[in-house]
Amino acid sequence: MENGNLPSKPAVPELEKKLLGRIKGSKKPLRIMHVCGTHERTIAKYGLRSILPKNIEVISGPGCPVCVTPEEDINIAIALAKSGATVVTFGDMMRVPGSAESLLDAKSEGANVKMVYSIDDAIALAEKKPELEVVFFGIGFETTVPANAAALLRKTPENFSLLTSQKQTPPAVEFLARDADVDAFIAPGHVATIIGTKPFESLAEKGFPIAVSGFEPGDILLGINLLQMQAEEGISRVDNGYPRAVKPEGNQIALKIMNEVFETSDSEWRGIGKIENSGLVLRKEFEEKDAAKKYEDLYASALEDVRKKTGGKDKKRCICAAILTGKAKPSQCPNFGKECTPKNPAGPCMVSQEGMCYNWFRYSREGGNRVA
């Protein structure tokens, strides 16, 4: 192994068995947090928690983009739709509740809300129907930001704008390291393909072992084993367990595009609160495409009505905030599997296929504590 990198050949069953043998051979207790919804899906789907030794615990952090989108941003999207704009976004985002309702609820009441698969679909709609004021509700982590930035660098129609709720992962991980009872972190491979491994080094310098992992079961096991080896050696560094896709410097072209269009800001994370330097907002040169500013006078009255509206789920009993920060498991929520299911979600963690509650419900009531 050189510089924490391992061969790039994808994991195969025999390698997975070898990795599991190494993991079971270590008796050192380790509480690991991942911050990736796709990692949680793999762990739950393949029952990885059921085959790990008792001294290894893997918990989920805020790695689901729709789960951490704050209520107020959803409220603004709903207010825009109720004020005459055509709000377009990803399918999962339509179902996440704001203060009391979701974009899907607003659509059922007559608001113009549409599902798209990308920002390009939203731009195509604006070009096809110039009479509409099309607002793309862009959410997510560093993985989706370059596409949004690239779109704005091209000439977009005058009737197109962007409502942003985009997050940066490393500041959130550092925030959790101060607050959560965690020994080490598995860093998300897709985010690292964009930003590289270097942004996680400051956390390693504070004593937390870090391993960037891919998304196959073998990738997850490799990440766990890399963290174990660091813990046993009494060191902390950033190991790249996903070198077939991740470079230490990341994707420089994508980063250049991002930095040209967006700048860092403080940002609210649902269930966590404000995290310094964890958000991305449009630079001044692109403010004319900022839907929140462009249509502020239009949606102001509707936004007050959305905030005041009641009749949503019993959110006092929803513990998504504790789940997102690794302080509780979905099975500890009084709503889980009862008032809250994928078909009828009470909180954001049950909506998306990357949400921890969704995956625990879908694959196992104990989140992968069985072999699928």
Side-chain angles (χ1 to χ4, degrees), residues 30 51 104 106 131 149 167 169 185 191 193 220 226 229 231 235 238 248 250 348 359 369:
L30 204 58
I51 59 175
L104 195 60
E131 71 276 11
K167 313 296 183 189
T169 305
F185 289 90
V191 167
T193 61
I220 304 294
L226 289 171
M229 289 192 289
I235 61 173
V238 182
N359 283 302
N369 287 328

Side-chain angles (χ1 to χ4, degrees), residues 20 28 33 62 79 149 166 176 184-185 190 233 235 250 252 370:
L20 187 58
K28 189 174 182 64
M33 175 180 278
Q166 296 170 150
L176 290 168
F185 289 90
H190 47 19
E233 294 174 28
I235 61 173
Q252 290 295 302
R370 65 174 174 81

Side-chain angles (χ1 to χ4, degrees), residues 82 93 157 202 265 285 362 366:
K82 289 187 173 184
M93 199 63 243
S202 62
S265 70
E285 307 92 280
R362 172 68 176 80
E366 290 300 325

Side-chain angles (χ1 to χ4, degrees), residues 101-328:
E101 60 182 328
S102 66
L103 281 164
L104 195 60
D105 293 327
K107 179 179 175 67
S108 71
E109 296 171 0
N112 199 1
V113 179
K114 297 182 181 295
M115 185 189 79
V116 293
Y117 292 102
S118 71
I119 191 171
D120 291 334
D121 291 344
I123 293 171
L125 175 64
E127 291 173 338
K128 185 178 180 181
K129 300 203 171 184
E131 71 276 11
L132 300 179
E133 293 295 328
V134 177
V135 176
F136 178 64
F137 188 17
I139 62 103
F141 303 122
E142 295 93 338
T143 318
T144 59
V145 177
N148 294 344
L152 292 186
L153 286 172
R154 304 192 299 266
K155 183 174 175 57
T156 56
E158 289 186 7
N159 62 325
F160 173 83
S161 57
L162 181 65
L163 178 64
T164 64
S165 187
Q166 296 170 150
K167 313 296 183 189
Q168 299 190 88
T169 305
V173 178
E174 296 220 16
F175 179 90
L176 290 168
R178 297 193 298 267
D179 185 57
D181 179 19
V182 176
D183 301 312
F185 289 90
I186 294 176
H190 47 19
V191 167
T193 61
I194 303 297
I195 67 173
T197 60
K198 291 182 179 179
F200 297 102
E201 289 178 357
S202 62
L203 187 60
E205 290 170 1
K206 295 173 183 175
F208 291 93
I210 311 288
V212 176
S213 294
F215 307 101
E216 298 297 324
D219 292 323
I220 304 294
L221 294 175
L222 173 59
I224 293 171
N225 187 228
L226 289 171
L227 294 174
Q228 278 185 313
M229 289 192 289
Q230 290 187 48
E232 288 172 350
E233 294 174 28
I235 61 173
S236 58
R237 66 187 178 212
V238 182
D239 277 344
N240 184 4
Y242 196 31
R244 62 185 185 271
V246 174
K247 298 178 181 179
E249 69 276 13
N251 185 324
Q252 290 295 302
I253 295 174
L255 289 171
K256 182 178 181 297
I257 292 171
M258 283 173 55
N259 292 331
E260 191 171 342
V261 177
F262 294 96
E263 62 184 2
T264 294
S265 70
D266 298 344
S267 184
E268 288 284 335
W269 290 57
R270 190 170 191 155
I272 299 175
K274 183 174 286 187
I275 301 178
E276 291 183 1
N277 301 319
S278 67
L280 290 166
V281 296
L282 290 170
R283 291 186 180 276
K284 192 170 183 178
E285 307 92 280
F286 296 91
E287 279 187 349
E288 75 275 5
K289 292 299 180 180
D290 188 339
K293 294 181 178 179
K294 181 178 180 180
Y295 300 114
E296 189 172 5
D297 293 338
L298 175 67
Y299 70 75
S301 177
L303 180 59
E304 287 303 312
D305 292 338
V306 170
R307 288 169 175 162
K308 293 175 183 176
K309 188 171 182 179
T310 58
K313 298 273 186 178
D314 181 7
K315 297 198 301 188
K316 290 182 179 178
R317 301 176 66 220
C318 177
I319 63 168
C320 272
I323 291 168
L324 285 169
T325 52
K327 296 175 181 176

